[in-house]
Amino acid sequence: MPSLEEHGGGRSKELSAPKLRVDTPERAGLDPEETRLLVRDVVDLTAGDEPWAPGAVVVAGRGPVIAVREASGWAVRYSAYDPATDTGVELPVRARVPMTVDTPFDLASLTKLFTSVAAVQQIERGTLGIDARIGAYLPDFREAAAHDITVRQLLTHTSGLRPELPLYDCADDAARLELLRAEAPSGEPGAHGYGYGYSDLNMLLLQQLLERLTGRTLDILVREGITRPLGMTSTDFGPCPGAAATEDQRRPWAKADRGMLRGVVHDENAWALGGVAGHAGLFSTGQDLAVFCRTLLAGGSYGPARILGPDFVELLLTPPGLGFAVDQPWFMGELAGEGAVGHTGFTGTSLVIDPATDTFVVLLANTVHPVRRAPDSGPRALVGTRMAMAVR
């Protein structure tokens, strides 16, 4: 099998891309007034008694320049959630933990992007076919094999699999694995059958496939193939003790009784799977995610490292996107259009990459601290709109 150095996750003599540097909006070709308003809007999200999030970090830039890098609010503000009053139990100010630009976050579903890149790396190496049937690699996953689910269908959420399974209620790993093996799609897989249906199970099956194919666990594949070559030293699967706090996770509003969470994965299924899952489990910082964004905008290279060739980055980002969502105004705002791509995470995380303008924006927030609420992506869309205005 080709080495990491030959096919992603290593160095390339042919391809090199400038590394990120912090500079002014003007040097990045951005409107300084719009970037100032972007920062103001993010600060406002964390203000008051009932903020959108207790704390947030925004990192945005164009080309190799980071023009916005700001933290606001608290990484830890509450000790618990009080269901009787439907409010958080606030810590004394001296006991709270301020948010900083280096605070790690539970990325939640942004993990799917890294799983997708790991899969496309195998496609580039020729060890995995994008239209290959899952049954060829995982014959013991009976229903996926019987319905001819393909790698492409997992990556584009057209497999017909339901959004999730209660793996957190299973007695042990063997029971969890059997539940996945026996899961049948709700309809005929493929764009001409069931069509699009967002599902964590797609990435869990993809994780199983990648681990079976390579003989390495997903955390090692991500570390060796993506984060280590790119110098993303603050990105890894948990535990991550210094991370922003998430939820006081208790039934009936959650699916497990775990108390206030900090530095351990929020997603109940990822937790049940030991913290390493294809759909959730990674922790990272705004700076590291800026490197990830810049790498994709530069065709898969960052400095002397290359994790994908340009053609395979194009495959990853071309509509409908492999793992990435394409042109979704509900969280991208006015950045949506002409092929902007990105993703959101349940804990309050998001990133958007716009190849047309060579821009990116990362918004990390702990919106589920101290308890999950009805999703509100309006602030994410506002940040995307501010960034689009800054380009204009």
Side-chain angles (χ1 to χ4, degrees):
M1 181 182 293
S3 68
L4 285 174
E5 285 73 19
E6 290 172 301
H7 287 289
R11 295 178 180 273
S12 169
K13 294 179 180 179
E14 294 79 22
L15 297 172
S16 184
K19 290 190 174 184
L20 287 168
R21 69 180 192 274
V22 177
D23 212 324
T24 63
E26 292 90 341
R27 291 288 181 89
L30 297 172
D31 185 328
E33 177 61 15
E34 289 296 340
T35 57
R36 185 190 69 79
L37 292 174
L38 189 160
V39 170
R40 182 205 65 183
D41 290 341
V42 171
V43 171
D44 287 348
L45 294 175
T46 67
D49 294 333
E50 296 184 6
W52 179 71
V57 171
V58 62
V59 181
R62 188 177 194 184
V65 177
I66 293 176
V68 175
R69 190 167 176 260
E70 189 76 23
S72 177
W74 304 99
V76 182
R77 177 171 173 171
Y78 304 98
S79 62
Y81 167 67
D82 181 0
T85 61
D86 190 27
T87 58
V89 179
E90 293 202 88
L91 290 162
V93 173
R94 65 181 180 280
R96 299 180 191 178
V97 179
M99 193 68 77
T100 75
V101 292
D102 298 318
T103 298
F105 285 77
D106 179 340
L107 295 187
S109 283
L110 295 193
T111 302
K112 292 181 173 74
L113 304 182
F114 291 80
T115 304
S116 300
V117 169
V120 174
Q121 287 177 332
Q122 295 301 321
I123 293 168
E124 180 178 21
R125 293 169 192 170
T127 57
L128 181 64
I130 190 169
D131 290 309
R133 295 173 180 175
I134 300 306
Y137 302 91
L138 301 172
D140 51 323
F141 281 66
R142 303 179 300 276
E143 292 296 335
H147 287 82
D148 293 330
I149 292 175
T150 68
V151 172
R152 187 189 298 272
Q153 288 163 359
L154 295 182
L155 285 164
T156 56
H157 294 287
T158 56
S159 68
L161 293 170
R162 74 176 98 173
E164 66 173 6
L165 285 170
L167 303 178
Y168 45 83
D169 280 339
C170 293
D172 52 33
D173 287 344
R176 283 184 273 273
L177 190 57
E178 179 55 29
L179 202 59
L180 282 171
R181 285 172 172 159
E183 179 66 11
S186 302
E188 189 66 24
H192 300 293
Y194 185 83
Y196 180 85
Y198 183 80
S199 172
D200 290 348
L201 303 186
N202 290 319
M203 293 300 160
L204 287 174
L205 262 64
L206 197 57
Q207 174 188 4
Q208 291 290 325
L209 188 159
L210 291 172
E211 292 184 345
R212 186 83 59 89
L213 177 68
T214 65
R216 291 179 288 174
T217 55
L218 181 64
D219 55 331
I220 293 174
L221 289 172
V222 169
R223 189 180 307 124
E224 292 186 352
I226 304 173
T227 61
R228 182 179 293 168
L230 295 180
M232 296 172 63
T233 57
S234 298
T235 305
D236 207 348
F237 289 90
C240 182
T246 54
E247 184 178 36
D248 183 4
Q249 193 171 92
R250 290 181 277 150
R251 290 182 170 94
W253 57 85
K255 302 161 189 171
D257 291 299
R258 301 167 62 202
M260 184 61 75
L261 303 178
R262 186 187 184 198
V264 291
V265 64
H266 174 270
D267 182 90
E268 293 95 338
N269 274 342
W271 164 69
L273 291 166
V276 178
H279 70 291
L282 274 176
F283 289 78
S284 188
T285 62
Q287 177 69 31
D288 268 18
L289 289 178
V291 170
F292 182 68
C293 292
R294 183 63 211 146
T295 300
L296 295 176
L297 285 168
S301 295
Y302 187 74
R306 178 174 75 85
I307 62 167
L308 280 175
D311 290 347
F312 291 89
V313 173
E314 184 177 356
L315 175 68
L316 188 74
L317 305 184
T318 297
L322 302 182
F324 286 80
V326 182
D327 289 335
Q328 297 296 313
W330 63 272
F331 78 91
M332 298 179 182
E334 291 187 16
L335 273 184
E338 304 299 324
V341 302
H343 213 286
T344 64
F346 185 80
T347 51
T349 59
S350 62
L351 64 81
V352 182
I353 302 166
D354 185 13
T357 58
D358 200 22
T359 57
F360 67 88
V361 59
V362 175
L363 178 62
L364 302 177
N366 52 350
T367 57
V368 298
H369 182 55
V371 73
R372 64 189 70 189
R373 301 286 186 182
D376 175 14
S377 282
R380 293 175 172 127
L382 176 59
V383 167
T385 296
R386 287 292 185 203
M387 195 63 187
M389 297 297 290
V391 173
R392 294 172 191 165

